[in-house]
Amino acid sequence: MTSYLFTFNQFFDMVYSETIKVKIKSQSFSDITGNVEDIVRDSEIEDGVCTIFSVGATSAVIINENEPTLIKDLINSLEKVAPENGIYHHPENAYSHIRSSIIGNSKIVPIKDGRLNVGEWQEIMVFNFDIEEREREVVVTVIGD
Amino acid sequence: MTSYLFTFNQFFDMVYSETIKVKIKSQSFSDITGNVEDIVRDSEIEDGVCTIFSVGATSAVIINENEPTLIKDLINSLEKVAPENGIYHHPENAYSHIRSSIIGNSKIVPIKDGRLNVGEWQEIMVFNFDIEEREREVVVTVIGD
Amino acid sequence: MTSYLFTFNQFFDMVYSETIKVKIKSQSFSDITGNVEDIVRDSEIEDGVCTIFSVGATSAVIINENEPTLIKDLINSLEKVAPENGIYHHPENAYSHIRSSIIGNSKIVPIKDGRLNVGEWQEIMVFNFDIEEREREVVVTVIGD
């Protein structure tokens, strides 16, 4: 008689995903660092990466310092490239799409020992660049072992 | 006598990759959403992520709305930061490289139930910022299980 | 009697990570392409992706041509969006954070046959946008099989 036992859990757990929903005012953001940390913990993945993707063509993800005056400065800089009251061909919210395209909506963070391997001032923030308040969805996918 | 059967396919199929080739005019783009969807289907990967990488230092990838007047507006915004007829130290196509660096050429999209988990207006577009028409290559890699 | 042999190495090696440390002057960069190639080789991963994440909210990663006059041009373009001597609400280094946010600090490169699958002029460069020289850390994570 031969007995053997396999646990394939570590392979089946290579991928774990959750979606965050959050209401955000126009040209504002929500800090989702805590939510992402929770998802990484839930994934039980120790080493790998975590991708953060904001759904919607007028949203974006920034990994940087969550400091209100800094965000004001950042919006002012984006105003130079894609001003809110600029002249555009696309109706209504062209500047929202352009800000989203320049900042980007897909980011990736390394995971080490089950935690985000980021710097002290690197918070994960979702921006809503659309012309009005919107509920934004963010898909967080953890990959690793 | 002991008989047993293992299929390791799910592990060997964790990574799947294909390269897209497409001719694109200067300061223009190609919508490759359909190609990427096909590659994800071919990969038979149900959950994970799909990375999109455009080869070449004057190319970039944008995940946003494919609407011609919006793209015109986007190019106008990039004109402010890196004008086509600006004065540069680097010969010929400095503005092409700068536009590529600001937009970025590596993006990532989540996969859920074998499909791109993106918003209604989030098309995947490859841009050619070089000074003339070029055939651009895009490496699409699907990772998951 | 039943004999069988399993090697699970290919599964356990799905993720490999190393951290690069490098001193970089203000508004300058370090080319880490060789370091990243070494890490990919060490990982023994043949197919997949390699993520490059610079730690610190005033750093960024660019995949583009390492040509000194081009980098000068790029910095001049960023000067337009977030000038070094601009007026900001955030004390001291607002422009450093804004440049980091626009360029982005998380990038991804495909791996094929154990090598970076990039174009001839796509070097991997870490930028230090902070106001003084700093030792920057870059987490390189290779995922695949």
Side-chain angles (χ1 to χ4, degrees), chain B residues 2 4 6 11-12 15 51 53-57 80-81 83 88-90 94 97-98 100-101 105-106 139 143, chain C residues 2 4 6 10-11 47-49 62 64-65 67 69-70 73 77 80 102 107-108 110 117-119 121-122 144-145:
Chain B
T2 309
Y4 44 84
F6 291 124
F11 313 133
F12 286 106
V15 178
T51 71
F53 181 89
S54 64
V55 179
K80 292 185 198 171
V81 185
Y88 299 101
H89 301 92
H90 183 78
H97 288 278
I98 297 168
S100 166
S101 298
N105 71 327
S106 73
V139 182
I143 300 190
Chain C
T2 308
Y4 43 84
F6 292 123
Q10 64 266 43
F11 313 132
D47 294 290
V49 296
I62 292 181
N64 213 286
E65 187 180 349
E67 195 280 300
T69 68
L70 178 61
D73 292 330
S77 279
K80 292 185 197 171
I102 285 171
K107 301 292 158 82
I108 198 159
N117 192 4
V118 299
W121 308 110
Q122 288 184 302
D145 53 27

